[in-house]
Amino acid sequence: RDVALSPHFQIPAFHLTVNVQSKRRLSTLCASTSIDMASSHDAPIPHIAIENTHSRFMLSIDLHGNLNMFDLERGASQFANRPKGGDGDSKLFDRINDSSFLASSLDGNENKRHALVPKKYSPTFRLKASLGALRYCCWYPPDPGMFITGGFDQRVRIWDTNATKKLLDQYNVGFPIRCCEMPETFGSNHSLIAACGEAPVVRLCDSISGSITHTLIGHSANVFTLAWSPTQAFTLLTGGDDSTIRAWDIRKGKWFMAFDQERTLDSLSSNRRATRRIGWKRKRDREAKRNIDVPRAHSGCVTCIKFARDGRRLFSTGQDGRLRSWQSDGGCELFVHFEHTGNGSRILRFDVSEYDHCIAYPDRQKVKLYGSKTGRVIQVLNGHFETPLCCAFRIGTQELYTAGTDHQILAWCPEAVEKEMKEAWNEVRRQRQQACNAESKNPFIDSLGFSTDDDNWSDDSLSGLSV
């Protein structure tokens, strides 16, 4: 409020317009009938990842160790089935699949583009990335030329996107991996990969030196999820089976804060005032006992944590069926009332939209969109035949992609965009039909006076003869 009333600070009208349009479009998400994801997975899909640099490529993994990469802007490609016809029909089909058939969105930003024709998304390449189950994949933040995978084979692998099946490096962390990430902080001066899984420790792998540099010890049970801070490059948050969420300073190798579900903003300010009156001896004793009485963030296992895009808030979910919102700096809960969910899976992955308007949360056979500040259900998306496990928003387009135990990847887009796609596709079909009709006419046959509908091979004069 103080910032908004300051005479030296003015929010540009363009950003306000984009913010309002993004919120309106997210409230009208529907199943896309124009975008068909050709999934080749034969096992449940625990995670999908869309790179944020160009918002173009998407990774998907399954529990059989298979990995697929999709190009979301190429649409129908050389792997798709082309319609049978002449050269003109083939050229027209190539023109339909060209990226030039992309129209800018209402805000006029070229990075926010929607295809106006139906697309058949076939994997750009398929890869057997692991002999065991894959649990997590992520992109190299500065450049989508590399991506990272981790699974139950206890190895973090770095792959080259341009060279198919080219393994750049791998690290044996010594335990089955459930989550591995790199920091997306702009200007980060380290290249560490954090990995956690079926162990009460977190390994930090240096992609430059090719070795494991740190081991963070502090949790009393397995660590299932982690997230790097978007604003502080050396801050790492972890959550696990001990029901705690801890913030680590990787330079010291120690955790300095635990998120408490009973702490509020008022109690946080009063505790800070009381800390100033505590003597140094009493303060030292309290620091020694903090490993015994660690505050809990959930009543059960912490399954997933996710930062907001601005880094000010943190969202977490656990096996207690609760979705909680936190203040990332103080570790206190904001008490946003999200309804009780019925999905307590340990491999559940939710996602936060671009401007932090809503949260996509898989719940039973549905995907629910919650308001991040109000906790209300904005919309319920029905389309999966079985339980969805993961969600991913595409930055700049307000598109949502979901996957789960039915081995399918579904695309969701705003109703206005879906309407534009259908109208443009009808026009393209009409143009293609006209091109096919024009090629079917032969000017030489027309000059002879023959009709293509007549039977020119039979002789009616011989019809009365008997053999």
Side-chain angles (χ1 to χ4, degrees):
R1 183 181 60 184
D2 298 336
V3 175
L5 297 178
S6 175
H8 303 287
F9 181 83
Q10 293 182 357
I11 301 178
F14 173 76
H15 292 286
L16 291 176
T17 304
V18 172
N19 198 348
V20 172
Q21 289 182 357
S22 174
K23 187 175 182 180
R24 187 184 300 115
R25 289 188 172 190
L26 288 174
S27 62
T28 60
L29 282 179
C30 63
S32 176
T33 58
S34 303
I35 301 178
D36 184 12
M37 305 298 297
S39 175
S40 62
H41 293 288
D42 56 353
I45 304 174
H47 191 235
I48 55 178
I50 302 176
E51 52 91 13
N52 296 329
T53 305
H54 307 291
S55 189
R56 175 176 178 177
F57 300 100
M58 182 178 71
L59 296 175
S60 63
I61 58 175
D62 60 24
L63 297 182
H64 286 174
N66 300 315
L67 181 142
N68 291 348
M69 191 186 78
F70 298 88
D71 188 351
L72 300 180
E73 286 194 0
R74 188 171 62 175
S77 62
Q78 57 184 353
F79 300 99
N81 295 325
R82 296 191 177 188
K84 296 181 180 180
D87 296 336
D89 193 10
S90 178
K91 293 179 181 179
L92 180 60
F93 191 74
D94 292 337
R95 185 187 176 192
I96 292 173
N97 299 327
D98 190 10
S99 60
S100 60
F101 274 72
L102 297 175
S104 58
S105 57
L106 297 177
D107 54 11
N109 192 351
E110 294 182 357
N111 294 329
K112 301 179 179 181
R113 300 181 298 179
H114 302 281
L116 294 181
V117 295
K119 292 182 175 181
K120 182 71 174 180
Y121 290 107
S122 296
T124 304
F125 68 81
R126 302 178 180 91
L127 176 65
K128 184 68 175 179
S130 174
L131 297 178
L134 285 176
R135 284 301 181 89
Y136 205 85
C137 62
C138 64
W139 292 93
Y140 182 65
D143 184 12
M146 295 188 298
F147 60 90
I148 305 167
T149 61
F152 275 19
D153 59 352
Q154 305 182 5
R155 286 174 172 81
V156 177
R157 290 185 171 92
I158 303 177
W159 302 87
D160 188 358
T161 308
N162 300 320
T164 308
K165 300 181 181 180
K166 183 177 181 181
L167 181 63
L168 299 179
D169 204 351
Q170 61 178 347
Y171 311 92
N172 189 354
V173 297
F175 52 81
I177 300 171
R178 286 185 175 268
C179 184
C180 54
E181 281 191 0
M182 288 190 68
E184 297 184 2
T185 307
F186 179 77
S188 176
N189 54 359
H190 70 82
S191 57
L192 299 177
I193 304 173
C196 65
E198 302 291 338
V201 298
V202 179
R203 306 282 192 193
L204 298 182
C205 310
D206 192 355
S207 60
I208 296 179
S209 63
S211 61
I212 299 177
T213 58
H214 298 72
T215 299
L216 304 180
I217 302 175
H219 282 274
S220 59
N222 296 339
V223 184
F224 290 152
T225 180
L226 54 85
W228 291 94
S229 174
T231 56
Q232 301 176 3
F234 296 98
T235 301
L236 176 67
L237 270 68
T238 59
D241 206 2
D242 55 358
S243 306
T244 64
I245 299 177
R246 311 189 188 203
W248 300 76
D249 188 351
I250 62 173
R251 294 170 294 185
K252 300 179 180 179
K254 298 180 180 180
W255 64 275
F256 60 89
M257 182 178 60
F259 288 69
D260 190 358
Q261 59 182 343
E262 298 180 356
R263 185 188 305 173
T264 61
L265 291 174
D266 297 335
S267 63
L268 179 63
S269 59
S270 61
N271 290 338
R272 287 177 177 175
R273 290 193 297 268
T275 303
R276 300 188 183 98
R277 298 191 296 268
I278 297 178
W280 287 103
K281 183 177 180 180
R282 185 177 177 184
K283 185 176 180 180
R284 184 175 64 251
D285 295 339
R286 188 186 65 177
E287 291 292 331
K289 295 180 180 180
R290 69 172 186 165
N291 290 326
I292 301 177
D293 300 328
V294 180
R296 294 187 175 184
H298 286 268
S299 299
C301 171
V302 181
T303 57
C304 183
I305 56 178
K306 190 79 174 180
F307 271 99
R309 303 288 179 176
D310 56 2
R312 298 179 180 178
R313 290 177 295 166
L314 178 76
F315 302 98
S316 66
T317 183
Q319 281 193 314
D320 56 356
R322 294 293 182 183
L323 179 62
R324 301 183 186 274
S325 177
W326 307 87
Q327 185 187 27
S328 59
D329 294 336
C332 58
E333 188 179 1
L334 299 179
F335 288 99
V336 178
H337 181 66
F338 298 97
E339 68 176 11
H340 186 81
T341 60
N343 193 347
S345 174
R346 293 193 175 189
I347 57 177
L348 179 145
R349 301 291 175 184
F350 64 90
D351 199 12
V352 186
S353 62
E354 181 177 3
Y355 294 99
D356 304 331
H357 294 313
C358 67
I359 302 171
Y361 187 88
D363 189 6
R364 296 183 178 91
Q365 294 184 358
K366 307 174 183 178
V367 177
K368 295 184 178 180
L369 298 182
Y370 293 98
S372 60
K373 296 182 180 180
T374 61
R376 298 178 181 177
V377 178
I378 300 177
Q379 196 175 6
V380 179
L381 306 178
N382 297 309
H384 285 277
F385 295 102
E386 297 181 14
T387 304
L389 298 177
C390 54
C391 305
F393 280 101
R394 186 183 178 191
I395 294 180
T397 62
Q398 289 82 45
E399 295 176 359
L400 175 65
Y401 294 86
T402 60
T405 57
D406 55 357
H407 311 172
Q408 298 295 325
I409 302 176
L410 299 183
W412 312 81
C413 62
E415 291 181 354
V417 179
E418 182 68 16
K419 184 178 179 181
E420 292 178 1
M421 287 182 179
K422 291 181 179 179
E423 293 177 354
W425 175 240
N426 292 332
E427 179 66 21
V428 170
R429 289 177 59 185
R430 185 184 63 82
Q431 295 178 3
R432 184 166 59 178
Q433 185 64 32
Q434 291 180 356
C436 294
N437 295 336
E439 289 184 358
S440 63
K441 295 181 180 180
N442 194 327
F444 176 73
I445 296 178
D446 294 341
S447 63
L448 297 178
F450 292 104
S451 176
T452 57
D453 297 334
D454 296 339
D455 187 6
N456 298 321
W457 296 102
S458 62
D459 191 359
D460 296 338
S461 60
L462 301 177
S463 60
L465 299 177
S466 60
V467 179

Short mmCIF file of all heavy atoms in Angstrom, two decimals, residues 23 26-27 313 315 323-325 334-339 351-353 355-361 368-380 393:
data_model
loop_
_atom_site.label_atom_id
_atom_site.label_comp_id
_atom_site.label_asym_id
_atom_site.label_seq_id
_atom_site.Cartn_x
_atom_site.Cartn_y
_atom_site.Cartn_z
N LYS A 23 -5.22 -12.90 -15.67
CA LYS A 23 -6.13 -13.42 -14.66
C LYS A 23 -7.47 -13.82 -15.26
O LYS A 23 -8.06 -14.84 -14.90
CB LYS A 23 -6.33 -12.37 -13.56
CG LYS A 23 -7.13 -12.86 -12.38
CD LYS A 23 -7.18 -11.80 -11.30
CE LYS A 23 -7.93 -12.30 -10.08
NZ LYS A 23 -7.98 -11.25 -9.01
N LEU A 26 -7.02 -17.15 -17.29
CA LEU A 26 -6.85 -18.34 -16.47
C LEU A 26 -8.17 -18.84 -15.90
O LEU A 26 -8.34 -20.03 -15.66
CB LEU A 26 -5.87 -18.05 -15.32
CG LEU A 26 -4.40 -17.92 -15.71
CD1 LEU A 26 -3.57 -17.49 -14.52
CD2 LEU A 26 -3.87 -19.22 -16.28
N SER A 27 -9.11 -17.94 -15.70
CA SER A 27 -10.42 -18.35 -15.18
C SER A 27 -11.29 -19.01 -16.23
O SER A 27 -12.37 -19.51 -15.89
CB SER A 27 -11.14 -17.12 -14.60
OG SER A 27 -11.37 -16.15 -15.61
N ARG A 313 6.49 -15.49 -1.57
CA ARG A 313 5.65 -16.51 -0.93
C ARG A 313 6.12 -17.90 -1.33
O ARG A 313 6.75 -18.09 -2.38
CB ARG A 313 4.18 -16.32 -1.31
CG ARG A 313 3.53 -15.08 -0.70
CD ARG A 313 2.10 -14.95 -1.20
NE ARG A 313 2.05 -14.71 -2.64
CZ ARG A 313 0.95 -14.82 -3.37
NH1 ARG A 313 -0.18 -15.19 -2.80
NH2 ARG A 313 0.99 -14.59 -4.67
N PHE A 315 4.60 -22.04 -1.36
CA PHE A 315 3.44 -22.92 -1.26
C PHE A 315 3.95 -24.34 -1.04
O PHE A 315 4.95 -24.76 -1.63
CB PHE A 315 2.59 -22.85 -2.53
CG PHE A 315 2.10 -21.46 -2.85
CD1 PHE A 315 2.78 -20.69 -3.78
CD2 PHE A 315 1.00 -20.93 -2.22
CE1 PHE A 315 2.35 -19.41 -4.09
CE2 PHE A 315 0.56 -19.65 -2.52
CZ PHE A 315 1.23 -18.89 -3.45
N LEU A 323 -2.94 -27.69 1.55
CA LEU A 323 -2.13 -26.80 0.73
C LEU A 323 -1.94 -25.52 1.51
O LEU A 323 -2.92 -24.84 1.84
CB LEU A 323 -2.80 -26.53 -0.62
CG LEU A 323 -2.11 -25.59 -1.59
CD1 LEU A 323 -0.75 -26.14 -2.00
CD2 LEU A 323 -2.97 -25.34 -2.82
N ARG A 324 -0.71 -25.16 1.82
CA ARG A 324 -0.41 -24.02 2.70
C ARG A 324 0.38 -22.96 1.96
O ARG A 324 1.15 -23.27 1.04
CB ARG A 324 0.35 -24.47 3.95
CG ARG A 324 -0.39 -25.52 4.78
CD ARG A 324 0.40 -25.87 6.04
NE ARG A 324 -0.22 -26.96 6.77
CZ ARG A 324 -1.20 -26.82 7.67
NH1 ARG A 324 -1.65 -25.59 7.96
NH2 ARG A 324 -1.70 -27.86 8.30
N SER A 325 0.18 -21.71 2.40
CA SER A 325 0.89 -20.55 1.87
C SER A 325 1.75 -19.96 2.97
O SER A 325 1.28 -19.78 4.11
CB SER A 325 -0.11 -19.52 1.34
OG SER A 325 0.56 -18.36 0.88
N LEU A 334 0.68 -17.82 6.17
CA LEU A 334 -0.21 -16.69 5.85
C LEU A 334 -1.68 -17.04 6.08
O LEU A 334 -2.53 -16.18 5.93
CB LEU A 334 0.00 -16.27 4.40
CG LEU A 334 1.41 -15.77 4.06
CD1 LEU A 334 1.49 -15.40 2.58
CD2 LEU A 334 1.80 -14.58 4.93
N PHE A 335 -1.97 -18.29 6.41
CA PHE A 335 -3.32 -18.76 6.74
C PHE A 335 -4.32 -18.43 5.63
O PHE A 335 -5.39 -17.87 5.88
CB PHE A 335 -3.77 -18.18 8.08
CG PHE A 335 -3.07 -18.80 9.25
CD1 PHE A 335 -1.99 -18.16 9.84
CD2 PHE A 335 -3.46 -20.03 9.75
CE1 PHE A 335 -1.32 -18.74 10.92
CE2 PHE A 335 -2.81 -20.61 10.81
CZ PHE A 335 -1.72 -19.97 11.41
N VAL A 336 -3.95 -18.77 4.42
CA VAL A 336 -4.90 -18.74 3.31
C VAL A 336 -5.67 -20.05 3.35
O VAL A 336 -5.09 -21.12 3.35
CB VAL A 336 -4.17 -18.56 1.96
CG1 VAL A 336 -5.16 -18.57 0.81
CG2 VAL A 336 -3.36 -17.27 1.97
N HIS A 337 -6.97 -19.95 3.40
CA HIS A 337 -7.80 -21.14 3.59
C HIS A 337 -8.03 -21.85 2.27
O HIS A 337 -8.92 -21.49 1.49
CB HIS A 337 -9.15 -20.76 4.23
CG HIS A 337 -10.04 -21.95 4.48
ND1 HIS A 337 -9.73 -22.93 5.38
CD2 HIS A 337 -11.21 -22.32 3.91
CE1 HIS A 337 -10.67 -23.85 5.37
NE2 HIS A 337 -11.58 -23.50 4.48
N PHE A 338 -7.21 -22.86 2.00
CA PHE A 338 -7.44 -23.77 0.88
C PHE A 338 -8.26 -24.94 1.38
O PHE A 338 -8.03 -25.43 2.49
CB PHE A 338 -6.12 -24.27 0.29
CG PHE A 338 -5.24 -23.19 -0.27
CD1 PHE A 338 -4.20 -22.66 0.47
CD2 PHE A 338 -5.44 -22.71 -1.55
CE1 PHE A 338 -3.39 -21.67 -0.05
CE2 PHE A 338 -4.63 -21.72 -2.09
CZ PHE A 338 -3.60 -21.20 -1.33
N GLU A 339 -9.18 -25.40 0.56
CA GLU A 339 -10.00 -26.52 0.97
C GLU A 339 -9.17 -27.79 1.10
O GLU A 339 -8.11 -27.94 0.48
CB GLU A 339 -11.14 -26.75 -0.03
CG GLU A 339 -10.71 -27.23 -1.39
CD GLU A 339 -11.88 -27.53 -2.29
OE1 GLU A 339 -13.01 -27.16 -1.92
OE2 GLU A 339 -11.69 -28.13 -3.35
N ASP A 351 1.81 -26.53 -9.61
CA ASP A 351 2.54 -25.42 -10.23
C ASP A 351 1.80 -24.12 -9.98
O ASP A 351 0.57 -24.11 -9.75
CB ASP A 351 2.72 -25.66 -11.72
CG ASP A 351 3.83 -24.79 -12.31
OD1 ASP A 351 4.59 -24.21 -11.52
OD2 ASP A 351 3.94 -24.71 -13.55
N VAL A 352 2.54 -23.01 -10.06
CA VAL A 352 2.01 -21.67 -9.85
C VAL A 352 2.03 -20.93 -11.17
O VAL A 352 2.99 -21.06 -11.96
CB VAL A 352 2.83 -20.91 -8.78
CG1 VAL A 352 2.19 -19.56 -8.46
CG2 VAL A 352 2.96 -21.75 -7.52
N SER A 353 0.99 -20.15 -11.45
CA SER A 353 0.88 -19.44 -12.72
C SER A 353 1.91 -18.32 -12.81
O SER A 353 2.63 -18.01 -11.86
CB SER A 353 -0.53 -18.89 -12.91
OG SER A 353 -0.82 -17.95 -11.89
N TYR A 355 1.81 -14.93 -13.13
CA TYR A 355 1.70 -13.74 -12.27
C TYR A 355 1.18 -14.11 -10.88
O TYR A 355 0.63 -13.25 -10.18
CB TYR A 355 0.79 -12.70 -12.92
CG TYR A 355 1.35 -12.13 -14.20
CD1 TYR A 355 0.93 -12.62 -15.43
CD2 TYR A 355 2.32 -11.14 -14.17
CE1 TYR A 355 1.44 -12.11 -16.62
CE2 TYR A 355 2.84 -10.62 -15.34
CZ TYR A 355 2.40 -11.11 -16.56
OH TYR A 355 2.93 -10.60 -17.74
N ASP A 356 1.34 -15.36 -10.48
CA ASP A 356 0.97 -15.84 -9.15
C ASP A 356 -0.52 -15.68 -8.86
O ASP A 356 -0.92 -15.49 -7.72
CB ASP A 356 1.78 -15.12 -8.06
CG ASP A 356 3.28 -15.27 -8.28
OD1 ASP A 356 3.69 -16.28 -8.85
OD2 ASP A 356 4.03 -14.35 -7.87
N HIS A 357 -1.34 -15.75 -9.90
CA HIS A 357 -2.78 -15.62 -9.69
C HIS A 357 -3.40 -16.88 -9.12
O HIS A 357 -4.25 -16.82 -8.23
CB HIS A 357 -3.49 -15.25 -10.99
CG HIS A 357 -3.14 -13.90 -11.51
ND1 HIS A 357 -3.12 -12.79 -10.70
CD2 HIS A 357 -2.78 -13.46 -12.75
CE1 HIS A 357 -2.78 -11.72 -11.42
NE2 HIS A 357 -2.56 -12.11 -12.65
N CYS A 358 -3.00 -18.02 -9.64
CA CYS A 358 -3.65 -19.26 -9.24
C CYS A 358 -2.63 -20.38 -9.14
O CYS A 358 -1.49 -20.27 -9.61
CB CYS A 358 -4.76 -19.62 -10.21
SG CYS A 358 -4.19 -20.05 -11.87
N ILE A 359 -3.06 -21.47 -8.52
CA ILE A 359 -2.26 -22.67 -8.32
C ILE A 359 -3.02 -23.83 -8.95
O ILE A 359 -4.20 -24.05 -8.66
CB ILE A 359 -2.01 -22.93 -6.83
CG1 ILE A 359 -1.32 -21.73 -6.18
CG2 ILE A 359 -1.19 -24.19 -6.63
CD1 ILE A 359 -1.23 -21.82 -4.68
N ALA A 360 -2.34 -24.57 -9.81
CA ALA A 360 -2.92 -25.78 -10.41
C ALA A 360 -2.54 -26.96 -9.54
O ALA A 360 -1.35 -27.26 -9.37
CB ALA A 360 -2.41 -25.96 -11.83
N TYR A 361 -3.56 -27.63 -9.00
CA TYR A 361 -3.33 -28.69 -8.02
C TYR A 361 -4.05 -29.95 -8.45
O TYR A 361 -5.28 -29.95 -8.63
CB TYR A 361 -3.83 -28.25 -6.64
CG TYR A 361 -3.49 -29.20 -5.52
CD1 TYR A 361 -2.29 -29.09 -4.83
CD2 TYR A 361 -4.37 -30.21 -5.15
CE1 TYR A 361 -1.98 -29.95 -3.81
CE2 TYR A 361 -4.06 -31.08 -4.12
CZ TYR A 361 -2.86 -30.94 -3.45
OH TYR A 361 -2.54 -31.81 -2.44
N LYS A 368 -7.63 -28.84 -9.97
CA LYS A 368 -8.31 -27.66 -9.42
C LYS A 368 -7.40 -26.44 -9.50
O LYS A 368 -6.19 -26.54 -9.23
CB LYS A 368 -8.73 -27.90 -7.97
CG LYS A 368 -9.79 -28.99 -7.81
CD LYS A 368 -10.24 -29.12 -6.37
CE LYS A 368 -11.32 -30.17 -6.23
NZ LYS A 368 -11.78 -30.31 -4.82
N LEU A 369 -7.99 -25.31 -9.84
CA LEU A 369 -7.29 -24.03 -9.87
C LEU A 369 -7.72 -23.23 -8.65
O LEU A 369 -8.90 -22.87 -8.52
CB LEU A 369 -7.60 -23.27 -11.16
CG LEU A 369 -7.18 -23.93 -12.47
CD1 LEU A 369 -7.52 -23.03 -13.65
CD2 LEU A 369 -5.69 -24.24 -12.48
N TYR A 370 -6.77 -22.95 -7.76
CA TYR A 370 -7.03 -22.18 -6.54
C TYR A 370 -6.49 -20.77 -6.71
O TYR A 370 -5.43 -20.56 -7.31
CB TYR A 370 -6.37 -22.83 -5.33
CG TYR A 370 -6.92 -24.17 -4.93
CD1 TYR A 370 -6.31 -25.34 -5.32
CD2 TYR A 370 -8.06 -24.26 -4.14
CE1 TYR A 370 -6.80 -26.57 -4.94
CE2 TYR A 370 -8.57 -25.49 -3.75
CZ TYR A 370 -7.94 -26.64 -4.16
OH TYR A 370 -8.44 -27.86 -3.79
N GLY A 371 -7.20 -19.80 -6.16
CA GLY A 371 -6.66 -18.46 -6.05
C GLY A 371 -5.54 -18.42 -5.03
O GLY A 371 -5.73 -18.84 -3.88
N SER A 372 -4.38 -17.94 -5.41
CA SER A 372 -3.22 -18.00 -4.52
C SER A 372 -3.37 -17.10 -3.30
O SER A 372 -2.77 -17.38 -2.26
CB SER A 372 -1.96 -17.61 -5.29
OG SER A 372 -2.07 -16.28 -5.79
N LYS A 373 -4.17 -16.06 -3.39
CA LYS A 373 -4.34 -15.14 -2.26
C LYS A 373 -5.64 -15.37 -1.51
O LYS A 373 -5.73 -15.05 -0.32
CB LYS A 373 -4.28 -13.69 -2.75
CG LYS A 373 -2.94 -13.30 -3.34
CD LYS A 373 -2.92 -11.85 -3.77
CE LYS A 373 -1.57 -11.46 -4.34
NZ LYS A 373 -1.53 -10.04 -4.76
N THR A 374 -6.66 -15.88 -2.17
CA THR A 374 -7.95 -16.09 -1.53
C THR A 374 -8.18 -17.54 -1.12
O THR A 374 -8.93 -17.81 -0.18
CB THR A 374 -9.09 -15.65 -2.47
OG1 THR A 374 -9.05 -16.43 -3.67
CG2 THR A 374 -8.93 -14.18 -2.83
N GLY A 375 -7.57 -18.49 -1.82
CA GLY A 375 -7.79 -19.89 -1.52
C GLY A 375 -9.05 -20.47 -2.12
O GLY A 375 -9.35 -21.65 -1.92
N ARG A 376 -9.80 -19.68 -2.87
CA ARG A 376 -11.05 -20.16 -3.46
C ARG A 376 -10.76 -20.98 -4.71
O ARG A 376 -9.76 -20.77 -5.41
CB ARG A 376 -11.96 -18.98 -3.80
CG ARG A 376 -12.37 -18.15 -2.59
CD ARG A 376 -13.22 -16.97 -3.02
NE ARG A 376 -13.62 -16.15 -1.87
CZ ARG A 376 -14.32 -15.02 -1.96
NH1 ARG A 376 -14.68 -14.58 -3.17
NH2 ARG A 376 -14.63 -14.35 -0.88
N VAL A 377 -11.68 -21.89 -5.00
CA VAL A 377 -11.57 -22.70 -6.20
C VAL A 377 -12.06 -21.88 -7.39
O VAL A 377 -13.23 -21.52 -7.47
CB VAL A 377 -12.38 -24.00 -6.07
CG1 VAL A 377 -12.29 -24.82 -7.35
CG2 VAL A 377 -11.89 -24.81 -4.89
N ILE A 378 -11.15 -21.55 -8.30
CA ILE A 378 -11.52 -20.77 -9.48
C ILE A 378 -12.19 -21.64 -10.52
O ILE A 378 -13.21 -21.25 -11.11
CB ILE A 378 -10.25 -20.09 -10.07
CG1 ILE A 378 -9.61 -19.16 -9.03
CG2 ILE A 378 -10.61 -19.31 -11.33
CD1 ILE A 378 -8.33 -18.53 -9.51
N GLN A 379 -11.65 -22.82 -10.74
CA GLN A 379 -12.20 -23.70 -11.76
C GLN A 379 -11.75 -25.13 -11.49
O GLN A 379 -10.70 -25.37 -10.87
CB GLN A 379 -11.74 -23.26 -13.17
CG GLN A 379 -12.54 -23.87 -14.30
CD GLN A 379 -12.11 -23.31 -15.64
OE1 GLN A 379 -11.15 -22.55 -15.73
NE2 GLN A 379 -12.81 -23.66 -16.70
N VAL A 380 -12.55 -26.07 -11.94
CA VAL A 380 -12.23 -27.49 -11.83
C VAL A 380 -12.13 -28.05 -13.25
O VAL A 380 -13.08 -27.94 -14.03
CB VAL A 380 -13.29 -28.25 -11.02
CG1 VAL A 380 -12.94 -29.73 -10.95
CG2 VAL A 380 -13.40 -27.67 -9.61
N PHE A 393 2.57 -24.82 -16.00
CA PHE A 393 2.10 -23.66 -16.75
C PHE A 393 3.15 -23.26 -17.78
O PHE A 393 4.36 -23.34 -17.51
CB PHE A 393 1.83 -22.47 -15.82
CG PHE A 393 0.52 -22.55 -15.10
CD1 PHE A 393 0.47 -22.96 -13.77
CD2 PHE A 393 -0.65 -22.21 -15.73
CE1 PHE A 393 -0.73 -23.02 -13.10
CE2 PHE A 393 -1.86 -22.26 -15.07
CZ PHE A 393 -1.90 -22.68 -13.74
#
